[in-house]
């Protein structure tokens, strides 16, 4: 009897994972139209408002955020065009991506032992923390950090079924070799959820910087041109208060700051605790822009 070749089985599985990404449905046409319009230099707030008005959930969400007193907007705006002008194109982009991502990210991930909406809540928390951190270190586009944080673990949606099948082996390897979840994914599947997330967002033709930040959110120094965005997501993921993350869960990536993250972001280690305290204080403001799942 010939024993099954583990390497062959692993490479078959890797090919299967990669093929399943290319078969993923594209973003809805309406979402793509808005994202494309946001990239066009000549797009007006009125034109964007017309596109947004075609989507009921996005319209309601845009108006809610634009009228949120908690975000400092005292005078309410009634039209979508006013809301777009108040929020700015960058924040509108975050709202569009949040609306389209909320469905898939809210699903239960049995492999990762994540219940309904658990990944969604974690994603929104990391997005908010990344936005705040980006602002506090003067990263030029905090909204980009928000989107990177929101989508950072999206690769788990694809890997979940494989994690489900290999759960016991994964826990065993993690405990025996003191490895993190993503390191074990690499060992068993030849790819981790961060790399898969990079492939998914690249499949959706998201900007390279965003794709790269998602791909390297556990190893920001590997991102050649865009280390800062990847490092912001890495730090946001690690500094979140325990109640805002799936801390007791198998899926927890360990609140581990990558050894290069602080250097990339030019943050002194002794200031980390006060940074974390300020971040925790700031998080309540983000409840006002939390998308409905
Ligand atoms: Fe992750
Ligand atoms: Fe995460």
């Amino acid at each position: 009897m010939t024993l099954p070749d583990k390497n062959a089985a692993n490479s078959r599985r890797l090919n299967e994972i990669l093929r399943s990404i290319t078969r993923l449905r594209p973003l809805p046409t309406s979402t793509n139209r808005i994202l494309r319009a946001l990239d066009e230099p000549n797009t007006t707030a009125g034109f964007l408002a017309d596109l947004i008005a075609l989507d009921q959930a996005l319209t309601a969400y845009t108006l809610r955020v634009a009228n949120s007193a908690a975000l400092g907007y005292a005078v309410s705006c009634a039209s979508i065009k006013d809301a777009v002008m108040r929020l700015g194109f960058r924040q509108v982009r975050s709202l569009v991506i949040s609306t389209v991502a909320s469905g898939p990210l809210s699903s239960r991930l049995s492999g990762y032992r994540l219940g309904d909406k658990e990944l969604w809540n974690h994603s929104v928390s990391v997005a908010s923390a990344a936005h705040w951190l980006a602002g506090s270190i003067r990263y030029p586009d905090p909204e980009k950090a928000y989107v990177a944080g929101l989508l950072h673990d999206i690769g788990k949606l694809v890997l979940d079924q494989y994690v489900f099948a290999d759960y016991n082996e994964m826990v065993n390897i993690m405990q025996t070799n003191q490895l993190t979840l993503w390191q074990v994914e690499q060992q068993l599947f030849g790819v981790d959820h961060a790399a898969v997330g990079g492939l998914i967002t690249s499949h959706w033709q998201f900007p390279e910087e965003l794709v790269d930040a998602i791909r390297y959110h556990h190893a920001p120094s590997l991102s050649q041109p865009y280390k800062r965005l990847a490092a912001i997501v890495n730090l946001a993921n690690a500094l979140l208060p325990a109640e805002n993350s799936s801390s007791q869960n198998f899926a927890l990536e360990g609140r581990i700051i990558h050894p290069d993250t602080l250097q990339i972001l030019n943050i002194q280690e002794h200031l980390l605790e006060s940074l974390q305290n300020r971040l925790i204080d700031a998080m309540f403001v983000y409840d006002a822009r939390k998308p409905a799942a």
Side-chain angles (χ1 to χ4, degrees):
M1 192 183 93
T2 353
L3 287 171
D5 180 346
K6 207 167 178 208
N7 284 341
N10 282 353
S11 78
R12 249 200 321 277
R13 189 161 50 181
L14 176 59
N15 284 332
E16 194 182 304
I17 292 168
L18 299 178
R19 263 201 313 277
S20 70
I21 296 166
T22 58
R23 283 197 304 264
L24 281 177
R25 266 186 292 169
L27 287 179
T29 318
S30 54
T31 307
N32 254 330
R33 280 180 72 191
I34 302 178
L35 292 177
R36 272 207 310 275
L38 284 163
D39 284 336
E40 282 289 325
N42 299 327
T43 296
T44 62
F47 179 68
L48 259 186
D50 289 345
L51 291 179
I52 290 170
L54 299 172
D55 183 322
Q56 220 175 16
L58 182 59
T59 299
Y61 180 35
T62 305
L63 286 171
R64 174 164 66 81
V65 176
N67 286 322
S68 165
L71 294 177
Y73 304 124
V75 183
S76 67
C77 50
S79 78
I80 310 173
K81 185 181 165 191
D82 286 349
V84 167
M85 292 200 299
R86 173 177 284 183
L87 298 173
F89 282 18
R90 284 178 175 176
Q91 193 170 345
V92 169
R93 183 192 307 277
S94 294
L95 303 192
V96 172
I97 293 172
S98 299
T99 306
V100 77
S102 66
L105 286 175
S106 295
S107 48
R108 171 197 298 261
L109 298 188
S110 308
Y112 284 102
R113 273 45 180 178
L114 289 167
D116 291 338
K117 295 193 183 165
E118 223 177 327
L119 180 59
W120 173 244
N121 289 332
H122 171 67
S123 304
V124 173
S125 297
V126 173
S128 306
H131 185 274
W132 184 85
L133 280 172
S136 70
I137 61 162
R138 301 194 198 293
Y139 178 76
D141 188 350
E143 286 301 328
K144 205 176 271 172
Y146 187 92
V147 175
L150 191 78
L151 301 178
H152 77 289
D153 277 339
I154 198 165
K156 287 181 178 171
L157 298 180
V158 168
L159 284 194
D160 189 58
Q161 56 174 306
Y162 303 97
V163 172
F164 185 80
D166 283 359
Y167 176 75
N168 290 334
E169 191 180 354
M170 289 182 78
V171 172
N172 198 6
I173 299 176
M174 280 169 81
Q175 287 170 351
T176 316
N177 301 304
Q178 299 285 303
L179 292 176
T180 60
L181 176 62
W182 61 277
Q183 288 167 328
V184 178
E185 288 170 346
Q186 277 181 354
Q187 224 178 71
L188 283 186
F189 313 137
V191 69
D192 62 28
H193 68 269
V196 171
L199 291 167
I200 294 172
T201 44
S202 162
H203 177 69
W204 287 338
Q205 300 179 333
F206 280 9
E208 205 186 326
E209 187 176 4
L210 197 60
V211 170
D212 215 58
I214 292 165
R215 180 173 291 144
Y216 296 117
H217 73 266
H218 288 297
S221 44
L222 294 180
S223 163
Q224 280 314 319
Y226 308 117
K227 288 185 196 336
R228 280 185 91 203
L229 192 57
I232 288 170
V233 178
N234 181 257
L235 190 58
N237 206 18
L239 287 187
L240 270 180
E243 61 272 21
N244 279 349
S245 66
S246 315
S247 55
Q248 305 309 317
N249 202 293
F250 161 72
L252 178 73
E253 296 143 339
R255 296 169 67 193
I256 299 166
I257 301 172
H258 187 275
D260 297 332
T261 290
L262 296 186
Q263 196 202 349
I264 294 169
L265 299 178
N266 205 10
I267 294 172
Q268 316 254 330
E269 198 170 348
H270 70 275
L271 297 176
L272 208 52
E273 198 181 324
S274 79
L275 185 75
Q276 185 175 31
N277 289 338
R278 285 193 293 131
L279 176 125
I280 293 166
D281 286 346
M283 288 296 278
F284 82 94
V285 173
Y286 288 92
D287 287 345
R289 66 174 278 179
K290 189 172 178 179

